Amino acid sequence: MAIKPLLTKDFATENLHQLSVYEKTGGYAGFKRALEMQPDELVELVKKSGLRGRGGAGFPTGNKWGFLPKGMYPRYLVCNADESEPGCFKDRYLIEKSPHQVLEGILIASYAIGCNLAFIYIRGEYLPQTEALETAIDEARQAGYLGKNVLGKGYDIDVILHRGAGAYICGEETALLTSLEGYRGEPRLKPPFPAVKGLYGKPTVVNNVETVCNLPHIVLNGADWFAAIGTPTGRGTRVWCMSGHVNRPGNYELENGTPIRELIEEHGGGVWKNRTLKAFQPGGASMMVLLPEHLDVALDFDAIQKAGSLAGAGAMVVMDETTCMVDAARRYVKFFHHESCGKCTPCREGTFWMANLFDQFEAGDAKPGDIDLLLDIGYNIDGRSFCPLGDASTWFPRSVIKFFREEFQEHISEKGCPFKKSVQEAVA
Amino acid sequence: MALAKATAEQIKDLAARYPSRQSAIIPALWAAQHEQGYVTDEAMHEIAEHLGLPPSLIEATASFYSMFLTRPEGRHDVVICINAPCMLRGADEMVAYLERQLGVRDGGTTADGAITWHSTIECLGACGGAPMMQVDHRFEEDLTPERIDAIIERLRTTPASHDAEPKRPSPRPRAKKSQN
Ligand SMILES: Cc1cc2nc3c(=O)[nH]c(=O)nc-3n(C[C@H](O)[C@H](O)[C@H](O)COP(=O)(O)O)c2cc1C
Ligand code: SF4
């Protein structure tokens, strides 16, 4: 699958973040082309391309745009740059390397849906990235790509960069909109979906950074060209964020359908320290663990789902034979407990109890019934929470209990973590 | 302590930028924190006044977000990630080393007032460079004890305020009330 990367193809170019350099690589040609088209044509084009959202849920982008009720204005576009899923650092990379590509994508999406004021919601921790986008917005404004009567085409568009302040839940689109309205970032009931009743009660599209980065390329090269890349239900590429026990962690943009093995072994240089692979986790903290037997599964929404996990936000966390799976699950559970917004009981209380139990496993205080108790708490959170954060907090730990139950048992019988002990013995 | 005149002006400008002035709450809290290092009750009342909103609303919002500080901290802010992807690359060892070198517990400030540090379970988005930390909101990746020593040395001798403000390329054009 030797396809050239799309979004990252010019990332080796020096100073690509500067407008003049970005323009030399073909930047803003997509937006100019888009302005020659009718907005409806653009929506059809993106529908036909098969582009699916890269923020986690994989929803078809063109269809989402198509849900906006006719004749209701103003409409808003919000670019979701809140990237906080543990294991994910691709949006950060896309922003750092090519902030204008993000902005161009936002401008195309805004024009397509008839929006005159777009927002970028960026997580508070991304300070250098905030600066990169601020600079890009200023440069683009000076060059006439945004403002009144853009490029003389009679279209007005402005972009507001809005900095969050540390809350994972604000990545969830309804919580994001609530936060953007100045409130505590708690999710809202869906329906009504943001497309109908979003920011300030107006029709709103929320799209991920990587999603919008695809738009200039689709506009320039056409829907058929894009649809020929990847798999029938997973068009295009994805930027995979690889971390953990590999020789070369980092971001890798690969065509959808590439085997996971190629990502880990070729691009990542394989498992580090000549150790063997124990498990890996696609998608981010929320997603279920997969095993070495799944290495030939394709990097693709549907293929990964069939294998028992989810592609989510494009993370790939690799774990070698020395990994304590109980401790890995413990960290994620503590993360979800920390980030639970507190609005609903199953998640607020359930993640607390799961985190408590995991601490007991770690400390060597867990009792034989505690494995089933964990599962029981998990069942009572999943499907009973107000938003997917609660549900997803249970997926990784439950999958780890399914595949590595003996590690939990060892924590009970050995009164503590067998992996830490073996490390301490090896050092002594 | 009242907010500086420039900060107050900035907050009023912010209110005019958004279709709803309530959206200016988080940016206003940032502005207050950038100026004063943390968010005081007085600052929240002032923000409420400038935005024409009840103080309770400002407080409700401020208390939700983990990056708004409610007490003064050291000149520099060090946050080290201990979530799973960092744990896999040795974050616990780095935390132990940092704690030993700084001589204060997680959440504490060094005696010279230079550094406040804490570990976090919140992923900071640098798993490819794990173990990592953020120093005044800027990334320090691929940590080793030697790198940590060099960073500490630098922080002890630099005066920068602990709460870094994004550097602006050029002044923002004054926004007119748009939309709606
Ligand atoms: C708990 C939670 C956190 C999320 N965090 C993010 C995020 O950081 N960035 C993102 O783009 N989408 C995130 N999402 C998905 C958004 O709700 C939304 O589906 C997405 O931004 C839509 O963009 P897309 O259609 O381009 O994928 C999150 C969802 C949930 C439930
Ligand atoms: S599931 Fe968790 S994060 Fe979502 S609304 Fe309930 S408490 Fe908040």
Side-chain angles (χ1 to χ4, degrees):
Chain A
M1 297 234 181
I3 181 108
K4 283 207 214 99
L6 314 179
L7 312 187
T8 61
K9 68 179 163 52
D10 297 311
F11 278 18
T13 307
E14 217 174 307
N15 294 325
L16 182 63
H17 63 279
Q18 292 172 3
L19 178 62
S20 56
V21 179
Y22 180 67
E23 283 174 325
K24 274 195 205 112
T25 64
Y28 287 104
F31 180 48
K32 286 179 192 157
R33 174 82 57 87
L35 287 176
E36 303 291 333
M37 297 167 67
Q38 292 303 316
D40 285 351
E41 278 178 78
L42 275 169
V43 176
E44 284 311 311
L45 176 79
V46 173
K47 270 190 195 163
K48 199 163 156 235
S49 76
L51 175 67
R52 291 170 68 176
R54 306 304 198 222
F59 197 84
T61 307
N63 295 15
K64 190 188 271 191
W65 295 359
F67 288 151
L68 294 171
K70 296 246 169 304
M72 274 180 70
Y73 294 92
R75 295 167 166 189
Y76 297 111
L77 181 95
V78 181
C79 178
N80 189 342
D82 193 52
E83 182 171 73
S84 322
E85 180 79 21
C88 289
F89 45 96
K90 66 182 174 68
D91 295 342
R92 167 188 163 196
Y93 175 64
L94 291 168
I95 293 168
E96 267 171 21
K97 288 282 181 182
S98 189
H100 281 289
Q101 180 173 253
V102 180
L103 196 53
E104 186 180 1
I106 290 170
L107 296 176
I108 293 171
S110 299
Y111 176 70
I113 66 164
C115 145
N116 303 109
L117 181 61
F119 295 85
I120 305 172
Y121 187 104
I122 189 165
R123 69 179 296 192
E125 290 86 352
Y126 279 1
L127 182 77
Q129 295 70 25
T130 302
E131 291 168 357
L133 281 170
E134 271 296 3
T135 310
I137 291 170
D138 280 9
E139 279 184 321
R141 182 176 284 117
Q142 273 155 26
Y145 291 120
L146 61 105
K148 295 261 178 245
N149 188 18
V150 166
L151 303 174
K153 300 285 177 197
Y155 173 59
D156 299 343
I157 176 71
D158 203 353
V159 179
I160 293 183
L161 181 62
H162 189 88
R163 187 177 176 212
Y168 164 72
I169 189 58
C170 292
E172 192 283 328
E173 57 186 10
T174 62
L176 185 155
L177 297 176
T178 315
S179 173
L180 190 44
E181 288 172 2
Y183 296 98
R184 299 166 71 83
E186 288 173 3
R188 305 174 186 167
L189 204 58
K190 289 195 278 194
F193 288 92
V196 176
K197 203 164 177 241
L199 188 62
Y200 311 123
K202 306 293 181 200
T204 302
V205 167
V206 181
N207 275 148
N208 169 259
V209 167
E210 186 183 351
T211 309
V212 300
C213 285
N214 278 283
L215 298 173
H217 306 282
I218 293 173
V219 170
L220 279 182
N221 299 295
D224 293 336
W225 166 86
F226 188 77
I229 306 167
T231 64
T233 55
R235 288 354 186 338
T237 65
R238 284 201 79 171
V239 181
W240 285 91
C241 316
M242 191 157 43
S243 65
H245 295 150
V246 284
N247 280 309
R248 288 190 297 274
N251 283 296
Y252 297 96
E253 185 187 6
L254 299 176
E255 180 173 9
N256 288 331
T258 306
I260 293 175
R261 183 186 298 282
E262 188 180 316
L263 172 64
I264 295 178
E265 293 181 358
E266 277 178 41
H267 300 282
V271 177
W272 72 347
K273 300 182 181 176
N274 289 319
R275 292 187 190 151
T276 48
L277 179 68
K278 180 176 196 169
F280 56 91
Q281 182 196 24
S286 315
M287 304 314 174
M288 304 77 168
V289 71
L290 291 178
L291 304 173
E293 69 198 57
H294 297 117
L295 272 176
D296 293 310
V297 169
L299 291 165
D300 171 62
F301 288 114
D302 296 351
I304 291 179
Q305 187 164 8
K306 231 174 108 198
S309 187
L310 290 164
M316 183 62 70
V317 184
V318 178
M319 303 171 192
D320 74 17
E321 56 192 316
T322 67
T323 310
C324 173
M325 300 305 292
V326 177
D327 199 12
R330 184 176 77 98
R331 309 273 168 151
Y332 287 144
V333 164
K334 289 181 87 83
F335 165 77
F336 285 113
H337 169 231
H338 185 262
E339 296 302 324
S340 167
C341 81
K343 182 179 177 119
C344 72
T345 317
C347 169
R348 184 186 62 238
E349 302 297 318
T351 54
F352 168 79
W353 285 110
M354 281 202 298
N356 247 355
L357 275 174
F358 268 104
D359 280 345
Q360 285 176 27
F361 275 97
E362 177 77 5
D365 298 332
K367 298 176 292 302
D370 285 348
I371 305 176
D372 289 325
L373 184 55
L374 265 179
L375 288 174
D376 190 50
I377 299 171
Y379 294 133
N380 278 298
I381 299 174
D382 193 4
R384 291 169 172 77
S385 297
F386 188 84
C387 89
L389 185 149
D391 301 339
S393 73
T394 73
W395 297 344
F396 184 78
R398 281 158 66 197
S399 72
V400 168
I401 293 176
K402 181 168 156 203
F403 292 119
F404 299 95
R405 196 178 173 109
E406 70 285 354
E407 288 193 19
F408 286 81
Q409 271 148 358
E410 281 174 51
H411 277 74
I412 299 172
S413 59
E414 298 195 20
K415 299 207 178 309
C417 178
F419 292 91
K420 294 232 169 73
K421 273 190 197 150
S422 64
V423 170
Q424 276 157 9
E425 275 157 23
V427 174
Chain B
M1 190 177 45
L3 292 170
K5 218 168 153 213
T7 310
E9 284 305 312
Q10 199 185 338
I11 291 170
K12 285 180 206 156
D13 274 2
L14 283 166
R17 278 197 91 205
Y18 291 87
S20 147
R21 59 196 161 161
Q22 187 159 320
S23 287
I25 295 178
I26 291 177
L29 288 164
W30 273 125
Q33 179 156 310
H34 290 145
E35 188 210 309
Q36 304 193 328
Y38 68 110
V39 179
T40 62
D41 283 348
E42 197 181 340
M44 286 191 277
H45 274 85
E46 230 183 287
I47 290 170
E49 217 167 279
H50 294 315
L51 298 182
L53 296 166
S56 58
L57 191 56
I58 316 295
E59 282 166 36
T61 297
S63 61
F64 186 82
Y65 298 92
S66 64
M67 292 181 81
F68 292 130
L69 306 176
T70 49
R71 61 190 168 95
E73 298 202 339
R75 292 200 306 280
H76 299 282
D77 178 50
V78 171
V79 185
I80 182 162
C81 172
I82 54 165
N83 206 317
C86 272
M87 162 200 119
L88 297 173
R89 308 279 299 196
D92 292 358
E93 288 77 4
M94 292 306 125
V95 168
Y97 187 78
L98 185 67
E99 178 160 14
R100 196 161 65 228
Q101 293 306 94
L102 292 179
V104 278
R105 301 288 290 267
D106 195 334
T109 302
T110 54
D112 60 358
I115 300 167
T116 301
W117 81 280
H118 69 92
S119 66
T120 181
I121 196 71
E122 205 178 328
C123 174
L124 296 171
C127 322
M132 64 78 62
M133 58 192 195
Q134 276 205 322
V135 175
D136 298 331
H137 305 316
R138 288 173 203 278
F139 291 95
E140 296 287 350
E141 305 186 22
D142 301 310
L143 293 178
T144 58
E146 294 73 34
R147 289 210 55 194
I148 290 181
D149 283 341
I151 292 163
I152 294 176
E153 181 58 32
R154 191 187 80 213
L155 296 185
R156 287 211 192 274
T157 50
T158 46
S161 128
H162 87 281
D163 194 65
E165 184 172 11
K167 289 188 190 70
R168 287 203 52 78
S170 59
R172 188 173 0 233
R174 289 288 283 264
K176 286 174 256 348
K177 187 152 171 74
S178 54
Q179 306 291 307
N180 284 355

